[in-house]
Amino acid sequence: MALSNAEIQKQWRERQKTKRQKATDATSNDLRRPFHDWLAANRINWDEFVIPLDIAGITPPEFEDNRDPSSATGEIDNNTYAGKRGSIARAELTVDGLLEAARALAEHVNAYKREEISARIEELENANLTDPVTRKDALADIVRLTKARDRLDKQVRYTLPEWKVSGE
């Protein structure tokens, strides 16, 4: 007898769940040498990680031992780290955290710039523009500022190598 669409979907979900359970991640036995040991021998180009953080005034995390991930402030519930062990888990969480922090900060910078640019455009629109030269300069500024504000509508994409392995 033929399977219904619901049964086909259920089987597909079960296959996907099985693949995820076989994932090669920090908890699998596939990664035998701890990340911190590997990193100690492979520090070529490590400055590509350290220098941008230093420029931003952020102390880079260290991966000199194999301790499990934990909250820096102690305010994050330990259940957040369930199943995450060792320096590789700390490194993976660092990538995730930096990406999320960058996204959130970019939203704040974007909102600030939008608000400030819109305020300048409004000031120029409400200004006394009786002098032709002043009017011409103000219109040019409005066009320039409007283009800048329109660019803030766009999304930026960065290409990163995969750092999480789930499934085959």
Side-chain angles (χ1 to χ4, degrees), residues 115-138:
E115 191 173 302
E116 289 297 307
I117 289 170
S118 294
R120 295 305 79 71
I121 290 171
E122 188 174 327
E123 284 175 11
L124 290 169
E125 289 174 344
N126 294 333
N128 183 4
L129 302 175
T130 55
D131 180 37
V133 173
T134 306
R135 172 184 231 128
K136 181 181 175 186
D137 291 344

Side-chain angles (χ1 to χ4, degrees), residues 34-54:
F35 176 69
H36 77 280
D37 284 348
W38 179 88
L39 186 60
N42 291 280
R43 289 226 173 232
I44 296 172
N45 299 329
W46 186 245
D47 285 345
E48 291 179 2
F49 171 68
V50 173
I51 290 173
L53 292 176
D54 189 30

Side-chain angles (χ1 to χ4, degrees), residues 14-106:
E14 287 173 8
R15 284 193 307 273
Q16 296 302 312
K17 184 178 178 182
T18 303
K19 281 183 183 179
R20 284 191 302 273
Q21 288 171 344
K22 292 180 181 179
T24 300
D25 62 9
T27 61
S28 76
N29 290 327
D30 297 331
L31 307 175
R32 295 202 175 124
R33 183 169 49 157
F35 176 69
H36 77 280
D37 284 348
W38 179 88
L39 186 60
N42 291 280
R43 289 226 173 232
I44 296 172
N45 299 329
W46 186 245
D47 285 345
E48 291 179 2
F49 171 68
V50 173
I51 290 173
L53 292 176
D54 189 30
I55 289 170
I58 300 169
T59 304
E62 294 292 331
F63 300 100
E64 295 177 353
D65 57 31
N66 205 34
R67 71 180 185 278
D68 293 339
S70 63
S71 170
T73 62
E75 294 184 20
I76 306 299
D77 182 14
N78 282 339
N79 291 334
T80 302
Y81 307 108
K84 295 175 177 25
R85 297 190 314 254
S87 54
I88 188 63
R90 287 194 346 259
E92 290 172 347
L93 287 168
T94 299
V95 172
D96 292 340
L98 289 171
L99 288 171
E100 182 58 27
R103 184 209 52 77
L105 182 57

